[in-house]
């Protein structure tokens, strides 16, 4: 005889949290989208859609914060499929300051992942495996662990960067990692911002702390269907420069940097405020993802990349596979 499973306990609202008012949350989200979303035309369309859905009763008064977040997010993404455009639910109350909700969650992930470098491993034939995840954390936090890991990697005959579990990160940190894999200062991307209608170029760094892996030894990048945002930026930049071979699955397709505004103690409106333009392709991976050079399942990608790396090392001139470039 099977005992029926107990019904899940009802959620008990935090007595210090204001009651959820869907109208005020949706109105604030619509206003923020209209003011800040990188594409003004779709911004107006999305804001109008939210207000229309609110007037039609599309957001129930009885919904909790998590349910409202899911419903509003579906509408936010229904116009042009921008996966960075969300009403994000936070189980714990978050600060009201702009961006504070996201940064608090990011800091917890940083502390739990050895600073975003959970794995450095020497594989057969001198190939180094470097896992970067779950994010490329803000550079002021991540520079030290990344420097340590990339210094170790500089001794390898080839490098495999595992981004299969990487779901985002800081553009400055993307540039920092790229700088270790290039021999000279290189234009990586141009970011176009709605605020001030301005463009801002990002280049690799002329100096890095410690030895570079350099621009000649083989680099392979592993991706999965979960790789997103900053993880995609690193894979895409290296691929477009011809510096790395991407192995694995098509990525999720989120290229727009975003900012977050707290609209309720448990809800954050995350809104893309810029768009990335690669100097080689003239575009980015938004909506399409990064297309692997070698397609295979994510679970096969490491084995495939290691075999390719070993073959590339064996084919390379001895001088290219044994010398580390010191910055």
């Amino acid at each position: 005889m099977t005992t029926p499973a107990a019904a899940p306990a009802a959620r008990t609202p935090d007595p210090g949290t204001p009651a959820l008012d869907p109208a005020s949350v949706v109105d604030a989200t619509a206003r923020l989208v209209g003011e800040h979303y990188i594409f003004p035309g779709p911004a107006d369309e999305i804001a109008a859609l939210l207000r229309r859905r609110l007037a039609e009763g599309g957001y129930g008064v009885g919904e909790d914060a998590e349910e409202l977040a899911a419903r509003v997010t579906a509408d936010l993404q229904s116009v042009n499929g921008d996966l960075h455009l969300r009403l994000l639910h936070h189980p714990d109350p978050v600060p009201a300051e702009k961006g504070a909700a996201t940064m608090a969650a990011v800091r917890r992930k940083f502390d739990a992942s050895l600073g975003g470098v959970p794995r450095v491993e020497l594989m057969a034939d001198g190939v180094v495996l470097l896992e970067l995840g779950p994010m490329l954390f803000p550079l002021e936090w991540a520079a030290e662990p990344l420097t340590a890991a990339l210094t170790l990697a500089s001794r390898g005959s080839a490098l495999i960067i595992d981004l299969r579990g990487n779901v985002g990160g800081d553009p400055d940190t993307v540039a920092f990692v790229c700088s270790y894999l290039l021999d000279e200062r290189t234009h990586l991307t141009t970011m176009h911002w709605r605020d001030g209608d301005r463009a801002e170029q990002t280049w690799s760094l002329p100096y890095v702390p410690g030895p570079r892996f350099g621009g000649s030894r083989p680099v392979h990048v592993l991706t999965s269907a979960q790789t997103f945002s900053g993880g995609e930026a690193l894979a895409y930049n290296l691929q477009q420069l011809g510096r790395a071979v991407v192995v694995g699955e098509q990525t999720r397709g989120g290229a727009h940097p975003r900012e977050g505004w707290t609209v309720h103690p448990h809800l954050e409106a995350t809104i893309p405020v810029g768009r990335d333009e690669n100097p080689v392709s003239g575009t980015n991976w938004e909506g399409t993802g990064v297309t692997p050079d070698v397609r295979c399942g994510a679970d096969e990608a490491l084995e495939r990349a290691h075999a390719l790396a070993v073959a590339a090392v064996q084919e390379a001139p001895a001088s290219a596979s044994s010398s580390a470039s010191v910055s």
Side-chain angles (χ1 to χ4, degrees):
M1 180 176 177
T2 303
T3 303
R11 293 176 183 161
T12 302
D14 184 339
T17 300
L20 178 64
D21 178 10
S24 65
V25 168
V26 173
D27 184 66
T29 302
R31 175 180 55 81
L32 289 165
V33 170
E35 292 175 356
H36 299 288
Y37 187 45
I38 178 59
F39 302 114
D44 292 342
E45 185 179 352
I46 292 165
L49 170 64
L50 293 185
R51 293 189 174 107
R52 184 171 68 252
R53 292 272 292 128
L54 179 64
E56 294 169 349
Y59 310 115
V61 175
E63 291 181 320
D64 65 17
E66 188 172 7
E67 292 167 338
L68 180 63
R71 198 177 298 275
V72 172
T73 295
D75 288 337
L76 285 168
Q77 296 179 0
S78 67
V79 171
N80 62 354
D82 191 328
L83 298 179
H84 276 118
L85 195 55
R86 295 173 291 180
L87 183 61
L88 189 62
H89 174 256
H90 294 272
D92 298 319
V94 294
E97 294 81 9
K98 176 183 169 184
T102 292
M103 293 310 293
V106 167
R107 184 71 208 196
R108 290 192 293 270
K109 293 178 181 178
F110 176 83
D111 292 337
S113 64
L114 296 179
V117 192
R119 184 179 182 189
V120 182
E121 179 183 337
L122 179 63
M123 303 180 72
D125 296 285
V127 178
V128 174
L129 171 63
L130 175 61
E131 181 181 352
L132 301 179
M135 299 181 67
L136 294 160
F137 292 100
L139 191 55
E140 59 265 33
W141 304 349
E144 183 179 352
L146 284 172
T147 296
L150 289 160
T151 296
L152 284 174
S154 71
R155 296 169 170 82
S157 61
L159 177 62
I160 298 173
I161 302 176
D162 189 352
L163 301 176
R164 289 175 293 180
N166 195 299
V167 295
D170 189 313
D172 289 340
T173 308
V174 172
F176 186 77
V177 175
C178 287
S179 300
Y180 278 86
L181 309 178
L182 300 166
D183 290 329
E184 57 187 26
R185 196 160 181 258
T186 303
H187 183 195
L188 301 174
T189 189
T190 298
M191 196 65 69
H192 298 269
W193 304 102
R194 177 170 175 179
D195 182 20
D197 191 22
R198 57 195 171 87
E200 188 174 76
Q201 292 186 347
T202 298
W203 291 66
S204 62
L205 303 175
Y207 166 83
V208 293
R212 298 178 192 260
F213 185 80
S216 59
R217 283 172 288 168
V219 176
H220 292 75
V221 174
L222 311 184
T223 60
S224 76
Q226 280 66 54
T227 307
F228 188 58
S229 193
E232 293 177 291
L234 179 55
Y236 192 80
N237 287 349
L238 294 173
Q239 183 189 57
Q240 293 302 312
L241 290 170
R243 183 62 194 95
V245 175
V246 177
V247 181
E249 298 172 343
Q250 194 89 9
T251 61
R252 286 182 65 195
H256 298 151
R258 51 89 171 184
E259 293 182 352
W261 287 263
T262 298
V263 294
H264 175 272
H266 291 279
L267 295 171
E268 178 190 20
T270 73
I271 300 171
V273 295
R275 65 175 179 86
D276 191 295
E277 181 182 305
N278 184 273
V280 177
S281 68
T283 184
N284 58 46
W285 61 96
E286 176 66 29
T288 61
V290 180
T291 300
D293 300 295
V294 179
R295 286 183 179 269
C296 63
D299 56 345
E300 307 169 44
L302 177 55
E303 183 178 355
R304 291 286 298 275
H306 184 245
L308 291 168
V310 171
V313 169
Q314 292 173 347
E315 294 172 4
S319 59
S321 61
S322 62
S323 61
S325 173
V326 179
S327 63

